[in-house]
């Protein structure tokens, strides 16, 4: 199983809502990532979890709050988002350490209204 | 910190033409290099990767890439493209150490006409 599963696939939320994106993998990977991708742009790194600890936060606004409850799950909690936060949010995972490729999920298409 | 530049923003080819997409990276240490493809409406898929060893790596769907360390380059090639190769292509680099992540180039849109 080389799948990274993201739910929901689509999400529309108001600027005052609180919602969460979920990501799951069962490949035994110990590193998990959140990326944000705008249309016609490359994925931009947001957060890295390594062995369930946050290791990189790319100066992401606090309205995005990541959580790694266990080695298979990664959440992204959303609160008070802005319309410019509308994007495709990608989760990825890789084996722990630096020498492995990342497997990407299909993403959650988020629209903030 | 590492960075990646892709020289071609949009490439338009006819079927059976040869393809070469340029990618250069900037980083002083050892890197892992990747090419990912994103077909319309689909998720990112790994085309090929380079970690060490033979600098000429072969990937899926007839793609290959050559790592030239002296030029900090990792160009993607395919001898004969097909209409189904129409997609967005991203070069990515990762520092070869724990706790790092992929950094992507801006991407190249490939349009293949039949």
């Amino acid at each position: 199983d080389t799948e990274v599963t993201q739910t929901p696939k689509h999400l529309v939320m108001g600027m005052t809502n609180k919602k969460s994106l979920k990501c799951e993998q069962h490949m035994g990977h110990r590193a998990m990532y959140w990326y944000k991708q705008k249309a016609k742009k490359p994925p931009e790194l947001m957060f890295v979890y390594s062995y369930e600890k946050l290791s990189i936060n790319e100066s992401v606004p606090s309205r995005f709050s990541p959580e790694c409850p266990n080695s298979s799950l990664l959440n992204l909690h959303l609160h008070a988002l802005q319309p410019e936060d509308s994007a495709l949010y990608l989760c990825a995972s890789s084996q722990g350490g630096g020498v492995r490729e990342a497997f990407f999920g299909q993403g959650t298409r988020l629209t903030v209204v | 910190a590492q960075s990646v530049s892709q020289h071609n923003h949009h490439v338009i080819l006819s079927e059976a033409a040869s393809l070469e997409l340029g990618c250069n990276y900037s980083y002083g240490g050892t890197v892992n290099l990747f090419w990912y493809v994103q077909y319309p409406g689909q998720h990112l898929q790994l085309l090929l990767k380079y970690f060490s060893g033979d600098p000429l790596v072969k990937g899926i769907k007839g793609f290959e890439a050559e790592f030239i360390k002296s030029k900090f380059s990792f160009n993607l090639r395919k001898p004969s493209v097909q209409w189904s190769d129409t997609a967005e292509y991203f070069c990515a680099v990762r520092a070869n150490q724990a706790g790092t992540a992929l950094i992507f180039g801006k991407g190249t849109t490939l349009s293949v006409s039949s």
Side-chain angles (χ1 to χ4, degrees), chain A residues 6 33-48 58 60 87-92 102-109, chain B residues 2-4 6 34-39 42-46 88-93 101-108:
Chain A
Q6 289 187 244
Y33 314 82
W34 281 114
Y35 284 84
K36 173 182 176 180
Q37 187 178 23
K38 301 279 254 184
K40 303 293 186 187
K41 298 290 186 185
E44 293 179 5
L45 182 66
M46 300 175 72
F47 303 104
V48 179
E58 290 288 335
V60 179
L88 181 68
Y89 288 84
L90 296 166
C91 175
F103 293 84
F104 283 82
Q106 297 230 354
T108 293
R109 176 74 60 188
Chain B
Q2 62 269 34
S3 65
V4 184
Q6 291 182 241
F34 308 85
W35 276 96
Y36 281 84
V37 61
Q38 192 169 31
Y39 298 103
Q42 295 192 27
H43 64 286
L44 282 164
Q45 298 174 40
L46 181 67
E88 191 80 15
Y89 291 80
F90 295 100
C91 181
V93 63
L102 285 173
I103 303 301
F104 288 86
K106 291 190 184 300
T108 297

Side-chain angles (χ1 to χ4, degrees), chain B residues 6 14 22 27 31 40 45-46 54 59-60 75 85 87-89 100 105 111:
Chain B
Q6 291 182 241
S14 300
Y27 184 68
V31 294
Q45 298 174 40
L46 181 67
D54 189 344
I60 60 172
N75 292 352
D85 293 324
E88 191 80 15
Y89 291 80
T100 60
S111 301

Side-chain angles (χ1 to χ4, degrees), chain A residues 33 35 42 98-102, chain B residues 32 36 38 49 94 96 102 105:
Chain A
Y33 314 82
Y35 284 84
V99 197
R100 292 292 183 267
E101 69 266 32
Chain B
N32 307 140
Y36 281 84
Q38 192 169 31
K49 62 196 178 198
R94 179 178 186 172
N96 187 10
L102 285 173

